[in-house]
Amino acid sequence: MTKPVAIIGVGQTKYTSRRTDVTSAALVREAVQGALDSAGVRREELDAIVLGSAPMGFEGTNLIEKWLVDAAGAKLKPYFRIHTGGSVGGSTGIGGYYHVASGEYDLVLAVAFEKLSEGEPQYWLSVTYDPFWGRDLAAGAPGLVGMQAHQYMARYPDVKPEHFAKIAVRHRRHALRNPHAHLHLDLNEADVLNAPMVTSPLRLYDCCPTSDGACAILFASERKARELSARPAWITGAATVAEAAFHPSQDIAHSEAAVQAARKAYARAGITDPVRDLDVVELYDAFTPHFLIWSECLGLTEAGGGADFVDRGIGELDSILPINPSGGVLSSNPIGATALIRQAEAALQVMGRAGERQVPGVTRSMAHGWGGWLQFHTVMVLSAEREGLSA
Amino acid sequence: MADGAVYIVDWETSDLIPAHRDKNHHELVYPVVSRLLERAGVRQSEVDLLVDSGSDFLDGRGLSTMTIVDALGGHLREECKVEDDGMWSLIYARMRVLAGTANLALVVSYGKSSESDPHWQSESVLDPYVGRPIGLDRLSASALQASAYIAASGVSDDAAATIAACRHQSAARSLRTPRAVSITEDEIKRQEPLIGPLRPAYMPAVGDGACALLLAEATTARRLTDRPVRIAGASSATDTFSIGDRDLLRLASLRVSADACAARAGWSATDADVLELSGATPFEEMLICQALGLAESSHADEYLAADSARRVNQSGGLLGADPVLVTGLIRTVEAAERIRKGAQRALAHSASGLAMQANAIMALEPGW
């Protein structure tokens, strides 16, 4: 059966446009050392390591984990790399979780990174498409999400650009309390609504930045967690669900993979009413419309409830369910690490170690990841208690 | 989880040939997955988990799984891609079955090396600052390693030719490698080395292929098959990156993973009836054998040349067919087939990175 697993350490670099002072290896090393130091663990004590990065074209090195093995603390240890596009940080953290949940390992490090300043991310996102019939249409990530947002707005006419602007302002305001965040922007809604158009309906501040950065999480068995941490974050549910990129019943404004990932992770964690049961959520808000769409898919609001969800201020730090107190993806986006950062931030909230961005009294949190053509979703539920809620 | 073990229920492969020119990636992989599920009597919706191996660099895509995940069997399934040889995907899928959240898992690996450039594939593994300007690739790294081995241990070219001829003959007989042709020792010795000491017949037969495999916990395995193969142990390790920082002849990462695997299985390579090894050349096979403790370093050539019972690589190994990214999973399938035919202990091995930087190993036994 599933062995109990807890997060006992987190390491993050500062997220920024360009880290010209380090190689990818040195960047990874910073996050790894941070996670080890935060838990008082030495590299030699690690049993296994999982590394995650998004398309290798971003850094231009094939099998890049082979180069990064020493930086990851993985020399002569079980070690492999996961790659599920933008969701890879989520898949990597869940990979670390499963190493321990299998009962085979006690202390496992998951590390994910990206050095987007060294590549052409939108080019590489465009060549994810089929070379014969997909690439003529490819327009990086904003092209896809613009289409998704229009579909959503057409279906629910009460959704307006003003709703997106509120999220753009709010999550940047949250980021002001997060020293790791890439963007520290003090915006108002007019700034967002008057910013240059990137891809309709997405304006500049509706979009995430491209960042350099790395994040690492240390996973422990129950024995190790009790030995090394006074308040670990237990993982009570996790899921990684995929959907075909193109299929006849596809609905780009409502991802079935996200729905099922949430359903599976909540069922494992005993979550029946996520808004009531969760105290904080870290959502993969790469673009502002995602706040509405993913909230709906993840069961935080009903179908079509996105506009009302924003209007009622849910997600504000003093609301019933604070969302992205870290500032989210809209404030930092080293793509390979981005979904692992969601898990790291969700863990820090449960551990009471989120510093100035700490939400008071967090017992349970959830972290989400998105990747591929709206098709790969990861969900992890964390708790101060070892056991999930009993349904 | 009836007994805490994980079983291989069944498997399927494509033909392993230099190029599937008439098939795109979907057309290569979809029939393999479909045949496997059909024969096992399993619907796609009954699979709890897909773990897949594909490569962006090999496929020329930003995210190789994006448009092929449906052909792999991943639509609305729990899924994860491990970007390395399929044996690493199998190792990860096994963990998730052990953890109890998946009762039935599908592992799929595919690669079309014919649509890429093998030199560029492996040169791009080197770091961009120091390693890549040198222009080393998989074969030249392997040749350097072989030269060092010959210098240190005196292993012979005669033995390499004997081993290579044996592999090519085995592959020519195998239904899985229909394009493989026999070559004699004399013919091999008349070949000029392409990269000293590697003659053309010593090189891996890089090509296209796909492989799918079903894993299950005990109760599910019992329901689906009366001939399961039990994974008694599995492990992997990766050595430091720079070739100059490694003892190329020791294969420390193989020794560490073999020890970890043996500790779990309760037996080691010397106890195995069958070994399927991912040596890309006869010299790599020798290095693997000495690291596994099958022969002294200076006698690994004689050990393999005298292996008339074909305990090692009866399939023909990588000289018969080396579908990059699939090779290690093929070794597992070949070893599992031998278990079905009566072997009691089979070891499957995979290698990744230049000069076998990373190694994975899996111990197989009859299910019950």
Short mmCIF file of all heavy atoms in Angstrom, two decimals, chain B residues 237-300:
data_model
loop_
_atom_site.label_atom_id
_atom_site.label_comp_id
_atom_site.label_asym_id
_atom_site.label_seq_id
_atom_site.Cartn_x
_atom_site.Cartn_y
_atom_site.Cartn_z
N ALA B 237 21.60 3.73 -11.51
CA ALA B 237 22.51 4.74 -10.95
C ALA B 237 23.18 5.48 -12.10
O ALA B 237 23.31 4.94 -13.20
CB ALA B 237 23.56 4.08 -10.05
N THR B 238 23.57 6.70 -11.82
CA THR B 238 24.22 7.54 -12.83
C THR B 238 25.53 8.05 -12.26
O THR B 238 25.58 8.58 -11.15
CB THR B 238 23.30 8.74 -13.19
OG1 THR B 238 22.05 8.21 -13.64
CG2 THR B 238 23.91 9.59 -14.29
N ASP B 239 26.59 7.88 -13.04
CA ASP B 239 27.91 8.34 -12.60
C ASP B 239 28.09 9.82 -12.97
O ASP B 239 27.24 10.40 -13.65
CB ASP B 239 29.00 7.48 -13.25
CG ASP B 239 30.29 7.46 -12.43
OD1 ASP B 239 30.47 8.34 -11.56
OD2 ASP B 239 31.12 6.56 -12.67
N THR B 240 29.21 10.38 -12.54
CA THR B 240 29.49 11.77 -12.83
C THR B 240 29.57 11.99 -14.34
O THR B 240 29.77 11.06 -15.11
CB THR B 240 30.80 12.19 -12.11
OG1 THR B 240 30.89 13.60 -12.14
CG2 THR B 240 32.02 11.60 -12.79
N PHE B 241 29.39 13.24 -14.79
CA PHE B 241 29.18 13.51 -16.21
C PHE B 241 30.46 13.41 -17.05
O PHE B 241 30.52 12.70 -18.05
CB PHE B 241 28.57 14.91 -16.35
CG PHE B 241 28.38 15.36 -17.76
CD1 PHE B 241 27.46 14.72 -18.58
CD2 PHE B 241 29.09 16.43 -18.27
CE1 PHE B 241 27.27 15.13 -19.89
CE2 PHE B 241 28.90 16.85 -19.57
CZ PHE B 241 27.99 16.20 -20.39
N SER B 242 31.47 14.13 -16.63
CA SER B 242 32.65 14.27 -17.49
C SER B 242 33.37 12.93 -17.63
O SER B 242 33.69 12.26 -16.64
CB SER B 242 33.59 15.32 -16.89
OG SER B 242 34.81 15.29 -17.60
N ILE B 243 33.64 12.55 -18.87
CA ILE B 243 34.31 11.28 -19.14
C ILE B 243 35.68 11.25 -18.48
O ILE B 243 36.13 10.22 -18.00
CB ILE B 243 34.39 11.08 -20.67
CG1 ILE B 243 33.01 10.67 -21.17
CG2 ILE B 243 35.43 10.04 -21.05
CD1 ILE B 243 32.91 10.55 -22.66
N GLY B 244 36.33 12.41 -18.42
CA GLY B 244 37.65 12.48 -17.80
C GLY B 244 37.62 12.31 -16.29
O GLY B 244 38.64 12.04 -15.67
N ASP B 245 36.45 12.49 -15.69
CA ASP B 245 36.34 12.35 -14.23
C ASP B 245 35.92 10.94 -13.80
O ASP B 245 35.81 10.66 -12.62
CB ASP B 245 35.29 13.33 -13.67
CG ASP B 245 35.77 14.77 -13.76
OD1 ASP B 245 36.98 14.98 -13.93
OD2 ASP B 245 34.92 15.68 -13.68
N ARG B 246 35.63 10.09 -14.78
CA ARG B 246 35.13 8.75 -14.46
C ARG B 246 36.22 7.71 -14.68
O ARG B 246 37.04 7.87 -15.57
CB ARG B 246 33.99 8.40 -15.43
CG ARG B 246 32.62 8.69 -14.92
CD ARG B 246 31.60 8.15 -15.89
NE ARG B 246 31.15 9.18 -16.82
CZ ARG B 246 30.69 8.92 -18.05
NH1 ARG B 246 30.63 7.68 -18.50
NH2 ARG B 246 30.30 9.91 -18.82
N ASP B 247 36.17 6.61 -13.91
CA ASP B 247 36.97 5.44 -14.24
C ASP B 247 36.17 4.67 -15.29
O ASP B 247 35.22 3.95 -14.96
CB ASP B 247 37.20 4.59 -12.98
CG ASP B 247 38.08 3.38 -13.28
OD1 ASP B 247 38.22 3.02 -14.48
OD2 ASP B 247 38.62 2.80 -12.33
N LEU B 248 36.55 4.84 -16.55
CA LEU B 248 35.74 4.30 -17.65
C LEU B 248 35.70 2.77 -17.65
O LEU B 248 34.83 2.17 -18.27
CB LEU B 248 36.29 4.79 -18.99
CG LEU B 248 36.12 6.27 -19.28
CD1 LEU B 248 36.70 6.60 -20.65
CD2 LEU B 248 34.67 6.68 -19.23
N LEU B 249 36.66 2.15 -17.00
CA LEU B 249 36.73 0.69 -17.05
C LEU B 249 36.00 0.03 -15.89
O LEU B 249 35.78 -1.17 -15.89
CB LEU B 249 38.20 0.24 -17.07
CG LEU B 249 39.05 0.91 -18.15
CD1 LEU B 249 40.43 0.27 -18.21
CD2 LEU B 249 38.37 0.85 -19.52
N ARG B 250 35.65 0.82 -14.90
CA ARG B 250 35.05 0.24 -13.69
C ARG B 250 33.53 0.19 -13.76
O ARG B 250 32.91 -0.68 -13.20
CB ARG B 250 35.49 1.08 -12.48
CG ARG B 250 35.41 0.35 -11.19
CD ARG B 250 35.88 1.22 -10.04
NE ARG B 250 34.91 1.19 -8.96
CZ ARG B 250 34.69 0.13 -8.20
NH1 ARG B 250 35.37 -0.97 -8.39
NH2 ARG B 250 33.77 0.18 -7.25
N LEU B 251 32.94 1.12 -14.48
CA LEU B 251 31.47 1.23 -14.56
C LEU B 251 30.85 1.24 -13.16
O LEU B 251 30.02 0.40 -12.81
CB LEU B 251 30.86 0.10 -15.40
CG LEU B 251 31.23 0.04 -16.88
CD1 LEU B 251 30.36 -1.00 -17.59
CD2 LEU B 251 31.07 1.39 -17.57
N ALA B 252 31.27 2.22 -12.37
CA ALA B 252 30.82 2.29 -10.98
C ALA B 252 29.30 2.34 -10.88
O ALA B 252 28.71 1.75 -9.97
CB ALA B 252 31.44 3.52 -10.31
N SER B 253 28.64 3.04 -11.82
CA SER B 253 27.18 3.16 -11.71
C SER B 253 26.51 1.81 -11.94
O SER B 253 25.44 1.54 -11.37
CB SER B 253 26.64 4.21 -12.69
OG SER B 253 26.91 3.86 -14.03
N LEU B 254 27.12 0.95 -12.75
CA LEU B 254 26.56 -0.40 -12.94
C LEU B 254 26.77 -1.24 -11.68
O LEU B 254 25.87 -1.96 -11.24
CB LEU B 254 27.19 -1.07 -14.16
CG LEU B 254 26.75 -2.52 -14.42
CD1 LEU B 254 25.24 -2.64 -14.51
CD2 LEU B 254 27.40 -3.06 -15.69
N ARG B 255 27.96 -1.12 -11.10
CA ARG B 255 28.22 -1.91 -9.88
C ARG B 255 27.24 -1.54 -8.77
O ARG B 255 26.69 -2.41 -8.10
CB ARG B 255 29.66 -1.67 -9.40
CG ARG B 255 30.69 -2.33 -10.31
CD ARG B 255 32.10 -1.85 -10.01
NE ARG B 255 33.02 -2.31 -11.05
CZ ARG B 255 33.80 -3.39 -10.93
NH1 ARG B 255 33.79 -4.10 -9.82
NH2 ARG B 255 34.59 -3.75 -11.92
N VAL B 256 27.03 -0.24 -8.60
CA VAL B 256 26.13 0.22 -7.53
C VAL B 256 24.70 -0.26 -7.79
O VAL B 256 24.02 -0.76 -6.88
CB VAL B 256 26.17 1.77 -7.45
CG1 VAL B 256 25.04 2.31 -6.60
CG2 VAL B 256 27.50 2.24 -6.91
N SER B 257 24.24 -0.13 -9.04
CA SER B 257 22.85 -0.53 -9.29
C SER B 257 22.70 -2.04 -9.25
O SER B 257 21.67 -2.55 -8.78
CB SER B 257 22.33 0.06 -10.62
OG SER B 257 23.26 -0.04 -11.64
N ALA B 258 23.72 -2.78 -9.70
CA ALA B 258 23.64 -4.25 -9.65
C ALA B 258 23.59 -4.72 -8.19
O ALA B 258 22.83 -5.63 -7.85
CB ALA B 258 24.83 -4.87 -10.37
N ASP B 259 24.38 -4.08 -7.32
CA ASP B 259 24.36 -4.46 -5.90
C ASP B 259 22.99 -4.18 -5.29
O ASP B 259 22.46 -4.99 -4.53
CB ASP B 259 25.43 -3.68 -5.13
CG ASP B 259 26.84 -4.18 -5.44
OD1 ASP B 259 26.95 -5.25 -6.09
OD2 ASP B 259 27.81 -3.50 -5.07
N ALA B 260 22.41 -3.00 -5.62
CA ALA B 260 21.11 -2.65 -5.06
C ALA B 260 20.03 -3.61 -5.57
O ALA B 260 19.15 -4.04 -4.81
CB ALA B 260 20.74 -1.22 -5.44
N CYS B 261 20.12 -3.99 -6.83
CA CYS B 261 19.15 -4.91 -7.40
C CYS B 261 19.29 -6.29 -6.76
O CYS B 261 18.30 -6.93 -6.39
CB CYS B 261 19.38 -4.99 -8.92
SG CYS B 261 18.23 -6.08 -9.78
N ALA B 262 20.54 -6.73 -6.58
CA ALA B 262 20.78 -8.06 -5.98
C ALA B 262 20.29 -8.10 -4.54
O ALA B 262 19.76 -9.11 -4.08
CB ALA B 262 22.27 -8.39 -6.06
N ALA B 263 20.46 -6.98 -3.82
CA ALA B 263 20.01 -6.94 -2.43
C ALA B 263 18.50 -7.15 -2.35
O ALA B 263 17.99 -7.80 -1.43
CB ALA B 263 20.39 -5.61 -1.80
N ARG B 264 17.78 -6.63 -3.34
CA ARG B 264 16.33 -6.80 -3.32
C ARG B 264 15.92 -8.18 -3.82
O ARG B 264 14.99 -8.79 -3.31
CB ARG B 264 15.67 -5.72 -4.18
CG ARG B 264 15.71 -4.35 -3.54
CD ARG B 264 15.03 -3.32 -4.43
NE ARG B 264 14.91 -2.03 -3.77
CZ ARG B 264 15.85 -1.10 -3.77
NH1 ARG B 264 17.00 -1.32 -4.39
NH2 ARG B 264 15.67 0.05 -3.15
N ALA B 265 16.60 -8.66 -4.87
CA ALA B 265 16.21 -9.92 -5.49
C ALA B 265 16.70 -11.13 -4.70
O ALA B 265 16.11 -12.20 -4.78
CB ALA B 265 16.74 -9.99 -6.92
N GLY B 266 17.79 -10.97 -3.96
CA GLY B 266 18.36 -12.10 -3.25
C GLY B 266 19.30 -12.92 -4.11
O GLY B 266 19.75 -13.99 -3.70
N TRP B 267 19.57 -12.48 -5.30
CA TRP B 267 20.55 -13.16 -6.16
C TRP B 267 21.19 -12.14 -7.09
O TRP B 267 20.65 -11.06 -7.29
CB TRP B 267 19.92 -14.31 -6.95
CG TRP B 267 18.69 -13.96 -7.75
CD1 TRP B 267 17.39 -14.01 -7.32
CD2 TRP B 267 18.63 -13.51 -9.12
NE1 TRP B 267 16.53 -13.63 -8.32
CE2 TRP B 267 17.27 -13.33 -9.44
CE3 TRP B 267 19.59 -13.26 -10.09
CZ2 TRP B 267 16.84 -12.88 -10.70
CZ3 TRP B 267 19.17 -12.83 -11.35
CH2 TRP B 267 17.81 -12.64 -11.64
N SER B 268 22.33 -12.51 -7.65
CA SER B 268 23.07 -11.54 -8.47
C SER B 268 23.35 -12.13 -9.85
O SER B 268 22.94 -13.25 -10.17
CB SER B 268 24.36 -11.14 -7.78
OG SER B 268 25.22 -12.26 -7.72
N ALA B 269 24.10 -11.36 -10.65
CA ALA B 269 24.36 -11.74 -12.04
C ALA B 269 24.96 -13.14 -12.14
O ALA B 269 24.64 -13.90 -13.06
CB ALA B 269 25.28 -10.72 -12.69
N THR B 270 25.83 -13.50 -11.20
CA THR B 270 26.48 -14.80 -11.30
C THR B 270 25.48 -15.95 -11.14
O THR B 270 25.75 -17.07 -11.56
CB THR B 270 27.59 -14.94 -10.24
OG1 THR B 270 27.06 -14.54 -8.98
CG2 THR B 270 28.79 -14.06 -10.57
N ASP B 271 24.32 -15.65 -10.53
CA ASP B 271 23.29 -16.69 -10.36
C ASP B 271 22.32 -16.74 -11.53
O ASP B 271 21.45 -17.61 -11.57
CB ASP B 271 22.46 -16.41 -9.09
CG ASP B 271 23.33 -16.23 -7.87
OD1 ASP B 271 24.21 -17.08 -7.66
OD2 ASP B 271 23.14 -15.24 -7.13
N ALA B 272 22.42 -15.79 -12.47
CA ALA B 272 21.40 -15.69 -13.53
C ALA B 272 21.61 -16.74 -14.62
O ALA B 272 22.75 -17.05 -14.99
CB ALA B 272 21.43 -14.29 -14.14
N ASP B 273 20.50 -17.29 -15.13
CA ASP B 273 20.58 -18.21 -16.28
C ASP B 273 20.70 -17.44 -17.58
O ASP B 273 21.18 -17.95 -18.58
CB ASP B 273 19.30 -19.06 -16.43
CG ASP B 273 18.79 -19.58 -15.13
OD1 ASP B 273 19.64 -19.99 -14.32
OD2 ASP B 273 17.56 -19.59 -14.93
N VAL B 274 20.14 -16.24 -17.56
CA VAL B 274 20.00 -15.45 -18.78
C VAL B 274 20.40 -14.02 -18.48
O VAL B 274 20.00 -13.47 -17.45
CB VAL B 274 18.52 -15.47 -19.24
CG1 VAL B 274 18.27 -14.45 -20.33
CG2 VAL B 274 18.10 -16.86 -19.69
N LEU B 275 21.19 -13.41 -19.37
CA LEU B 275 21.52 -11.99 -19.21
C LEU B 275 21.32 -11.29 -20.54
O LEU B 275 21.87 -11.71 -21.56
CB LEU B 275 22.98 -11.83 -18.77
CG LEU B 275 23.31 -12.43 -17.41
CD1 LEU B 275 24.23 -13.62 -17.56
CD2 LEU B 275 23.92 -11.39 -16.49
N GLU B 276 20.52 -10.25 -20.53
CA GLU B 276 20.34 -9.42 -21.72
C GLU B 276 20.96 -8.06 -21.42
O GLU B 276 20.47 -7.30 -20.58
CB GLU B 276 18.85 -9.29 -22.07
CG GLU B 276 18.30 -10.52 -22.81
CD GLU B 276 18.77 -10.59 -24.27
OE1 GLU B 276 19.13 -9.53 -24.83
OE2 GLU B 276 18.80 -11.69 -24.84
N LEU B 277 22.07 -7.78 -22.08
CA LEU B 277 22.91 -6.64 -21.71
C LEU B 277 22.94 -5.60 -22.83
O LEU B 277 23.10 -5.95 -24.00
CB LEU B 277 24.33 -7.11 -21.42
CG LEU B 277 24.46 -8.27 -20.42
CD1 LEU B 277 25.92 -8.68 -20.28
CD2 LEU B 277 23.88 -7.88 -19.06
N SER B 278 22.85 -4.33 -22.43
CA SER B 278 22.86 -3.24 -23.42
C SER B 278 24.28 -2.76 -23.70
O SER B 278 24.59 -1.58 -23.56
CB SER B 278 22.01 -2.08 -22.92
OG SER B 278 20.65 -2.41 -22.97
N GLY B 279 25.14 -3.67 -24.10
CA GLY B 279 26.46 -3.27 -24.56
C GLY B 279 26.36 -2.90 -26.03
O GLY B 279 25.90 -3.70 -26.83
N ALA B 280 26.83 -1.69 -26.37
CA ALA B 280 26.68 -1.24 -27.76
C ALA B 280 27.74 -1.83 -28.67
O ALA B 280 27.62 -1.76 -29.89
CB ALA B 280 26.72 0.29 -27.81
N THR B 281 28.79 -2.40 -28.08
CA THR B 281 29.86 -3.04 -28.86
C THR B 281 30.31 -4.28 -28.07
O THR B 281 29.98 -4.41 -26.88
CB THR B 281 31.09 -2.11 -28.99
OG1 THR B 281 31.73 -2.01 -27.70
CG2 THR B 281 30.71 -0.71 -29.46
N PRO B 282 31.08 -5.19 -28.68
CA PRO B 282 31.59 -6.34 -27.90
C PRO B 282 32.41 -5.88 -26.70
O PRO B 282 32.37 -6.52 -25.65
CB PRO B 282 32.46 -7.09 -28.91
CG PRO B 282 31.93 -6.70 -30.26
CD PRO B 282 31.44 -5.29 -30.11
N PHE B 283 33.14 -4.77 -26.86
CA PHE B 283 33.96 -4.30 -25.73
C PHE B 283 33.08 -3.79 -24.59
O PHE B 283 33.38 -3.99 -23.41
CB PHE B 283 34.95 -3.22 -26.19
CG PHE B 283 35.90 -3.71 -27.24
CD1 PHE B 283 35.74 -3.37 -28.57
CD2 PHE B 283 36.94 -4.56 -26.88
CE1 PHE B 283 36.62 -3.85 -29.54
CE2 PHE B 283 37.82 -5.05 -27.85
CZ PHE B 283 37.66 -4.69 -29.19
N GLU B 284 31.99 -3.13 -24.93
CA GLU B 284 31.04 -2.70 -23.88
C GLU B 284 30.45 -3.92 -23.18
O GLU B 284 30.29 -3.93 -21.96
CB GLU B 284 29.92 -1.82 -24.47
CG GLU B 284 30.40 -0.42 -24.84
CD GLU B 284 29.25 0.57 -25.04
OE1 GLU B 284 28.09 0.25 -24.72
OE2 GLU B 284 29.53 1.69 -25.52
N GLU B 285 30.13 -4.95 -23.96
CA GLU B 285 29.61 -6.18 -23.33
C GLU B 285 30.63 -6.74 -22.33
O GLU B 285 30.27 -7.18 -21.24
CB GLU B 285 29.27 -7.23 -24.39
CG GLU B 285 28.00 -6.95 -25.18
CD GLU B 285 27.54 -8.18 -25.97
OE1 GLU B 285 28.11 -9.27 -25.77
OE2 GLU B 285 26.60 -8.04 -26.79
N MET B 286 31.91 -6.73 -22.74
CA MET B 286 32.96 -7.24 -21.83
C MET B 286 33.02 -6.41 -20.56
O MET B 286 33.11 -6.95 -19.45
CB MET B 286 34.33 -7.17 -22.53
CG MET B 286 34.50 -8.08 -23.72
SD MET B 286 36.12 -7.71 -24.49
CE MET B 286 35.84 -8.23 -26.18
N LEU B 287 33.00 -5.08 -20.71
CA LEU B 287 33.07 -4.20 -19.54
C LEU B 287 31.88 -4.44 -18.60
O LEU B 287 32.03 -4.44 -17.37
CB LEU B 287 33.09 -2.73 -19.99
CG LEU B 287 34.43 -2.23 -20.53
CD1 LEU B 287 34.25 -0.89 -21.26
CD2 LEU B 287 35.46 -2.08 -19.40
N ILE B 288 30.71 -4.66 -19.20
CA ILE B 288 29.52 -4.92 -18.38
C ILE B 288 29.70 -6.23 -17.62
O ILE B 288 29.42 -6.31 -16.42
CB ILE B 288 28.26 -4.94 -19.27
CG1 ILE B 288 28.01 -3.55 -19.86
CG2 ILE B 288 27.05 -5.42 -18.48
CD1 ILE B 288 27.01 -3.55 -21.03
N CYS B 289 30.17 -7.27 -18.32
CA CYS B 289 30.36 -8.57 -17.67
C CYS B 289 31.33 -8.50 -16.50
O CYS B 289 31.09 -9.09 -15.45
CB CYS B 289 30.84 -9.61 -18.69
SG CYS B 289 29.54 -10.16 -19.78
N GLN B 290 32.44 -7.74 -16.69
CA GLN B 290 33.39 -7.66 -15.56
C GLN B 290 32.80 -6.84 -14.42
O GLN B 290 32.99 -7.18 -13.26
CB GLN B 290 34.77 -7.20 -16.01
CG GLN B 290 34.85 -5.87 -16.73
CD GLN B 290 35.20 -4.72 -15.81
OE1 GLN B 290 35.62 -4.93 -14.68
NE2 GLN B 290 34.98 -3.51 -16.28
N ALA B 291 32.02 -5.80 -14.74
CA ALA B 291 31.41 -5.01 -13.66
C ALA B 291 30.36 -5.83 -12.91
O ALA B 291 30.13 -5.61 -11.72
CB ALA B 291 30.79 -3.74 -14.24
N LEU B 292 29.72 -6.77 -13.60
CA LEU B 292 28.71 -7.61 -12.96
C LEU B 292 29.34 -8.79 -12.22
O LEU B 292 28.64 -9.61 -11.63
CB LEU B 292 27.72 -8.14 -14.00
CG LEU B 292 26.75 -7.11 -14.61
CD1 LEU B 292 25.89 -7.76 -15.70
CD2 LEU B 292 25.85 -6.51 -13.53
N GLY B 293 30.67 -8.91 -12.29
CA GLY B 293 31.36 -9.97 -11.57
C GLY B 293 31.30 -11.32 -12.27
O GLY B 293 31.53 -12.37 -11.66
N LEU B 294 30.99 -11.32 -13.57
CA LEU B 294 30.90 -12.58 -14.31
C LEU B 294 32.28 -13.07 -14.73
O LEU B 294 32.47 -14.26 -14.98
CB LEU B 294 30.02 -12.41 -15.55
CG LEU B 294 28.55 -12.09 -15.27
CD1 LEU B 294 27.84 -11.63 -16.53
CD2 LEU B 294 27.85 -13.30 -14.66
N ALA B 295 33.23 -12.15 -14.85
CA ALA B 295 34.58 -12.53 -15.27
C ALA B 295 35.56 -11.49 -14.75
O ALA B 295 35.19 -10.33 -14.54
CB ALA B 295 34.65 -12.60 -16.79
N GLU B 296 36.80 -11.91 -14.56
CA GLU B 296 37.86 -10.96 -14.25
C GLU B 296 37.98 -9.98 -15.42
O GLU B 296 37.75 -10.37 -16.57
CB GLU B 296 39.19 -11.70 -14.09
CG GLU B 296 39.27 -12.57 -12.85
CD GLU B 296 39.34 -11.74 -11.58
OE1 GLU B 296 40.11 -10.76 -11.55
OE2 GLU B 296 38.61 -12.07 -10.62
N SER B 297 38.44 -8.78 -15.10
CA SER B 297 38.53 -7.75 -16.12
C SER B 297 39.29 -8.22 -17.37
O SER B 297 38.87 -8.00 -18.50
CB SER B 297 39.23 -6.53 -15.52
OG SER B 297 39.33 -5.53 -16.48
N SER B 298 40.41 -8.92 -17.16
CA SER B 298 41.24 -9.30 -18.31
C SER B 298 40.74 -10.57 -18.99
O SER B 298 41.30 -10.98 -20.00
CB SER B 298 42.69 -9.46 -17.85
OG SER B 298 42.74 -10.39 -16.80
N HIS B 299 39.71 -11.19 -18.43
CA HIS B 299 39.20 -12.43 -19.04
C HIS B 299 37.78 -12.32 -19.55
O HIS B 299 37.19 -13.31 -19.97
CB HIS B 299 39.30 -13.60 -18.04
CG HIS B 299 40.70 -13.90 -17.64
ND1 HIS B 299 41.64 -14.38 -18.52
CD2 HIS B 299 41.35 -13.75 -16.46
CE1 HIS B 299 42.80 -14.54 -17.90
NE2 HIS B 299 42.65 -14.15 -16.63
N ALA B 300 37.22 -11.11 -19.50
CA ALA B 300 35.82 -10.94 -19.94
C ALA B 300 35.67 -11.27 -21.42
O ALA B 300 34.63 -11.72 -21.86
CB ALA B 300 35.34 -9.52 -19.64
#
